[in-house]
Amino acid sequence: PLCGFQVIRCKAAVAWAVGKPLSMEEVEVAPPKAGEVRVKMVATGICRTDENLRQGLFPNSDFPIIPGHEGAGIVESIGDGVTSVKPGDKVILLCVPQCGKCIFCLNPESNFCLKAHMFETQCVLPDKTTRFTCKGQQIHHFMWVSTFAEYTVVPDYAVAKIDAAAPLDKVCLLACGFPTGYGAVINAAKVKPGSTCAVIGLGGVGLSAVMGCKAAGASRIIAVDINSDKFPKARELGATDCINPQDLKKPIHEVLIEMTGYGADYTFEAVGKLDTLAAAMTSCNLSTGMCIMAGDPPAGSMLTIDPMLLLTGREWKGTMLGGWKMRDSVPKLVSSYLEKKFNLDVLNTHTLPFDKLNEGMELLRAGKR
């Protein structure tokens, strides 16, 4: 396709309706308008949130839609007024933007943004239109980024320029999975050296949390998953104990309390299910424990807990993307990766061509990535 201000025809994976498999289609991608950037996607990760979207479990999402939110690529063209990137720059797309102007962006303790999906739908661009069409029909964006397309258009505050030396097929995971898990430990919990941690769920987010616990100097890192195939990698990354709840005769929270005395100093829920969130909450230390919710529970679900769990001093805290201000932090995370400060490559379990994306989604559903 010709670059510049022309429509580009390319492949994209479209979710036409809730519960339907992704359909590989030819789509038209319109040029960027003022303040927008069109990106040629080079690599995308597959995250449980994409599957939640397909199943209709992600809030305020309109179909048909192009999923994907862990992407890296190269700027193809820019709209009027864009100064942060230029054509040819390597970039990572940001599913939580950083406008730099709202009350949250201006607060150094917040990494949220009023432009984020919970406040303003990101299924259309800020002018309330889409840049995708297929078979004469408008196709919605997912959190503005829609990385399951060969080209995509995003607002300039949802993209970060990164080091030209960065391998895009590796650093695309810095768009969501790794910063969410690692940042849950480093930024949200601020884990202290010598402490005891439990990580429930050993997907990309959970394994990144294990890495964060190790880097923070935790003395004991208990990794929990119903898939024991995850345990060798968890141990390689620093887990000291690995537990499969299906092998137990007691509820997992009771076992974790027995193992740690009065509960772990920090627990991390990286599954996004209500029962695992309740277990993580119950199994942290009853007085000084902190439970961090890093998973993505189904929209609209309700959790019932005994408030007495909190009365003795426990803390329950959420984190979005690990507390990083993404536009500022992603370039620094890329530099840290290039300096080998953490092992991101271990999270890359499979590499598939774009037209095998449904196969990758099936690997995710089967717990093999």
Side-chain angles (χ1 to χ4, degrees):
L2 297 172
C3 66
F5 288 86
Q6 300 187 25
V7 171
I8 288 178
R9 289 175 175 80
C10 66
K11 287 189 293 186
V14 178
W16 286 102
V18 171
K20 299 290 185 185
L22 300 181
S23 178
M24 202 61 71
E25 306 279 5
E26 181 179 85
V27 300
E28 295 83 41
V29 185
K33 295 185 180 180
E36 297 176 356
V37 180
R38 187 160 62 181
V39 179
K40 179 180 180 179
M41 298 307 305
V42 174
T44 182
I46 298 175
C47 175
R48 176 66 62 178
T49 301
D50 300 312
E51 176 63 7
N52 287 350
L53 169 71
R54 192 189 67 82
Q55 293 180 10
L57 302 177
F58 194 84
N60 307 321
S61 295
D62 300 313
F63 288 74
I65 192 168
I66 297 174
H69 64 285
E70 266 188 345
I74 297 169
V75 174
E76 178 269 340
S77 55
I78 58 175
D80 289 344
V82 174
T83 58
S84 58
V85 294
K86 64 184 185 303
D89 284 345
K90 285 187 176 181
V91 292
I92 286 177
L93 280 62
L94 312 176
C95 57
V96 172
Q98 186 184 343
C99 74
K101 299 175 181 177
C102 72
I103 188 172
F104 293 115
C105 286
L106 294 173
N107 183 343
E109 296 183 3
S110 166
N111 76 315
F112 206 55
C113 176
L114 279 174
K115 299 288 187 183
H117 188 84
M118 288 184 182
F119 285 97
E120 176 178 304
T121 178
Q122 295 175 355
C123 294
V124 291
L125 289 178
D127 70 350
K128 308 307 178 190
T129 65
T130 83
R131 301 293 169 268
F132 296 122
T133 54
C134 181
K135 301 176 181 175
Q137 187 172 351
Q138 292 289 304
I139 308 297
H140 292 94
H141 299 246
F142 180 44
M143 295 200 287
W144 281 337
V145 290
S146 287
T147 63
F148 290 0
E150 291 180 318
Y151 286 82
T152 191
V153 177
V154 299
D156 66 339
Y157 41 78
V159 68
K161 179 181 176 180
I162 60 171
D163 194 313
L168 297 180
D169 59 329
K170 302 291 196 295
V171 300
C172 64
L173 298 180
L174 293 175
C176 175
F178 178 82
T180 297
Y182 196 82
V185 177
I186 302 298
N187 298 328
K190 296 181 171 61
V191 166
K192 297 174 183 174
S195 55
T196 299
C197 299
V199 177
I200 300 178
L202 298 175
V205 172
L207 289 174
S208 299
V210 170
M211 281 192 254
C213 293
K214 172 84 170 178
S219 62
R220 194 172 189 189
I221 304 168
I222 304 168
V224 181
D225 202 289
I226 59 172
N227 182 355
S228 298
D229 292 342
K230 306 269 191 179
F231 294 166
K233 189 169 285 188
R235 287 193 179 95
E236 176 189 342
L237 294 174
T240 56
D241 306 79
C242 292
I243 303 174
N244 187 330
Q246 295 178 334
D247 297 337
L248 304 176
K249 294 178 181 177
K250 297 180 180 179
I252 182 62
H253 71 272
E254 291 185 15
V255 173
L256 289 172
I257 289 169
E258 286 178 4
M259 291 176 67
T260 56
Y262 293 96
D265 297 314
Y266 305 93
T267 60
F268 301 90
E269 198 280 344
V271 181
K273 292 187 179 297
L274 298 185
D275 57 346
T276 51
L277 185 53
M281 183 69 184
T282 311
S283 56
C284 71
N285 185 283
L286 64 86
S287 177
T288 58
M290 181 184 290
C291 171
I292 303 291
M293 184 180 87
D296 181 15
S301 55
M302 302 297 287
L303 178 65
T304 301
I305 63 165
D306 182 348
M308 291 297 287
L309 286 172
L310 295 171
L311 188 67
T312 51
R314 283 185 179 94
E315 292 182 65
W316 182 24
K317 189 174 184 180
T319 181
M320 182 166 283
L321 286 171
W324 308 97
K325 285 185 182 287
M326 290 295 281
R327 204 174 179 198
D328 292 341
S329 300
V330 160
K332 297 173 185 175
L333 287 169
V334 168
S335 297
S336 293
Y337 165 75
L338 293 174
E339 294 163 8
K340 295 184 167 49
K341 291 185 177 177
F342 47 77
N343 183 5
L344 188 64
D345 298 353
V346 73
L347 302 179
N348 193 343
T349 57
H350 298 79
T351 301
L352 299 169
F354 183 56
D355 57 9
K356 295 285 181 70
L357 205 149
N358 268 317
E359 194 175 304
M361 295 292 285
E362 182 53 41
L363 288 168
L364 175 121
R365 287 188 287 270
K368 294 181 178 176
R369 50 80 50 213

